[in-house]
Amino acid sequence: MGAVSVFSLSRTIAGLALAALALTGCGSSLDESSGSKAGGGQSGDAVKIGLLVPLSGVYAPIGEDLRAGFQLYLDQHNGKLGQRKVDLVTADEGEGPQTGVPAAQKLVTQDQVSAVAGVVNSATALGLRDFFDESKKPLLIANAGADDITGARKSQYVWRTSFSNGDVSAALGPAVAEEVKGKVYLIAADYAAGKEMVAGFRKTFEAAGGKVAGEKYTPFGKTQDFQPYLSAIRKSGADAVFAFYAGAEAVNFVKQYKQFGLAGKTSLYGTGFLTEGGALAAQGTAAVGVKTSLHYSTELDSAANKKFLGAYQKAAKKPPTVYAVQGYDTAAVLDKALAEASGDSGDALVKALAKVGSIDSPRGAWKFDADQNAEQQFYLREVKSSGGTAVNAVVGELD
Ligand code: PHB
């Protein structure tokens, strides 16, 4: 489905969902599960929060990490945010807006949550923007990087604790232009995030004198065999590759890059999602040498990260990821905002969100910028083998 039809579909659904919201009295009905008035906003009352993450599709592993990070923060705070018991309602975003938009609308209109957190896919985030803007409910995006969400289509009700696609990829451009003297081939998943990751990288890479050998987008969620694309890369004579893939797609791309014989000859760069967490574990040593930009690494040497690493590893029985950190930080943001807000109407919450200040995160301290996006440090990472385990070593800071 093209972008236009997704938007018109989500606009129609948004209209129906808003009508349903009006019929239910704008969220002032009794919340049976907590016994408190949903949207009543009495401090000490339970608060209902929606968590929208992919529990199915190629991004399911990402959704699982994000949820585990959010849950860890909750568990560390006796199940409370802003001193209020949290009634967490989790919904499946699936693989994109067709599933994610109706799931979010159900959280707001039927479950009557006070805010929704989560959203992994950029296309879902774009499809949800108008619904949250019009229903005046806060949406805290904990992953999806769609540039316009905190740019041209910014809304006072939509906040982002993660990154924007253009920023995380632009951070890498100058470093690659400096390291690679020849041409770079650009390849990504064919949807909003892939396009924006490539555009962000290309802009700073070319501005720094870099040359592009070719550009290709592969069908999102459907490509398992990357051979034809790897062949095209080899034919182009590129000296290096910049790629955006995440989750299950990242596993296949990096493994096949090595099997095809490109690894070691044609340097592979990307945004850090390419070699993150479960993807890196599945790629193993096939990923060694891949260099990426990201706002987190398990290898960050800070007290906040060490504390988080220990607690997450204990709870989840695996190392954390950037997605887990984003989930954890989103809960931290809500904790501060709910403590500050007078009532939990959307307007009270967004007023409080503007006052949360600096978040002391495992990624390093960050805060919201004027566009309600995370302002943070990006790191240059390189996959190295540490005692047989592949890790994203931090090799520098990016401007
Ligand atoms: C996105 O769609 O914005 C997206 C998805 C997965 C990632 C990063 C960005 O790892």
Side-chain angles (χ1 to χ4, degrees), residues 19-64:
L21 186 64
L23 281 172
T24 58
C26 287
S28 62
S29 66
L30 196 69
D31 167 11
E32 284 162 22
S33 54
S34 63
S36 70
K37 256 194 152 212
Q42 293 295 310
S43 141
D45 278 2
V47 61
K48 220 173 189 188
I49 302 291
L51 187 64
L52 180 69
V53 290
L55 302 170
S56 58
V58 283
Y59 286 164
I62 298 178
E64 183 45 43

Side-chain angles (χ1 to χ4, degrees), residues 17-289:
L18 279 171
L21 186 64
L23 281 172
T24 58
C26 287
S28 62
S29 66
L30 196 69
D31 167 11
E32 284 162 22
S33 54
S34 63
S36 70
K37 256 194 152 212
Q42 293 295 310
S43 141
D45 278 2
V47 61
K48 220 173 189 188
I49 302 291
L51 187 64
L52 180 69
V53 290
L55 302 170
S56 58
V58 283
Y59 286 164
I62 298 178
E64 183 45 43
D65 288 1
L66 206 157
R67 199 197 57 74
F70 193 99
Q71 189 63 48
L72 175 63
Y73 188 95
L74 262 185
D75 291 346
Q76 288 176 338
H77 294 80
N78 299 318
K80 291 183 178 176
L81 295 177
Q83 298 304 323
R84 298 174 61 180
K85 194 92 192 131
V86 172
D87 184 358
L88 192 65
V89 188
T90 304
D92 184 10
E93 178 186 339
E95 214 162 70
Q98 290 88 342
T99 43
V101 169
Q105 289 169 339
K106 181 182 170 288
L107 286 173
V108 172
T109 58
Q110 220 164 300
D111 300 316
Q112 303 205 347
V113 298
S114 295
V116 173
V119 187
V120 164
N121 184 309
S122 278
T124 310
L126 290 167
L128 283 175
R129 185 264 175 213
D130 288 349
F131 172 72
F132 281 88
D133 187 65
E134 286 161 23
S135 54
K136 302 191 193 306
K137 285 279 174 199
L139 171 63
L140 284 97
I141 295 184
N143 185 69
D147 291 340
D148 281 357
I149 285 292
T150 50
R153 298 184 65 216
K154 149 181 181 197
S155 156
Q156 70 178 111
Y157 298 97
V158 183
W159 297 67
R160 180 155 52 200
T161 60
S162 49
F163 59 89
S164 68
N165 296 326
D167 283 353
V168 64
S169 54
L172 190 61
V176 178
E178 201 183 307
E179 278 187 15
V180 179
K181 295 300 170 214
K183 291 186 175 176
V184 174
Y185 195 99
L186 315 173
I187 186 162
D190 190 7
Y191 79 104
K195 296 274 170 63
E196 291 181 350
M197 296 279 184
V198 165
F201 174 82
R202 187 193 258 272
K203 197 167 165 196
T204 56
F205 173 67
E206 288 186 334
K211 295 273 176 290
V212 170
E215 182 171 337
K216 189 81 195 165
Y217 295 94
T218 57
F220 171 64
K222 293 187 191 81
T223 310
Q224 267 153 23
D225 179 9
F226 286 94
Q227 294 269 95
Y229 307 107
L230 297 169
S231 242
I233 290 171
R234 180 175 282 156
K235 254 201 207 137
S236 76
D239 299 282
V241 168
F242 168 84
F244 165 73
Y245 292 106
E249 292 199 305
V251 176
N252 286 333
F253 183 78
V254 170
K255 278 175 104 173
Q256 291 173 29
Y257 197 87
K258 167 90 174 171
Q259 282 157 6
F260 198 74
L262 283 170
K265 294 193 186 108
T266 312
S267 309
L268 179 56
Y269 295 89
T271 40
F273 316 107
L274 191 62
T275 59
E276 193 59 7
L280 181 61
Q283 292 154 356
T285 50
V288 169

Side-chain angles (χ1 to χ4, degrees), residues 296-315:
Y296 180 68
S297 164
T298 51
E299 307 310 295
L300 279 176
D301 189 15
S302 69
N305 189 38
K306 294 221 166 91
K307 204 169 144 208
F308 174 73
L309 271 173
Y312 188 90
Q313 178 81 45
K314 195 168 166 216

Side-chain angles (χ1 to χ4, degrees), residues 362-381:
R363 70 177 101 168
W366 67 271
K367 60 182 170 58
F368 286 117
D369 66 14
D371 292 328
Q372 299 154 206
N373 195 20
E375 190 177 300
Q376 60 197 329
Q377 178 68 54
F378 290 108
Y379 305 97
L380 179 63
R381 322 180 315 166

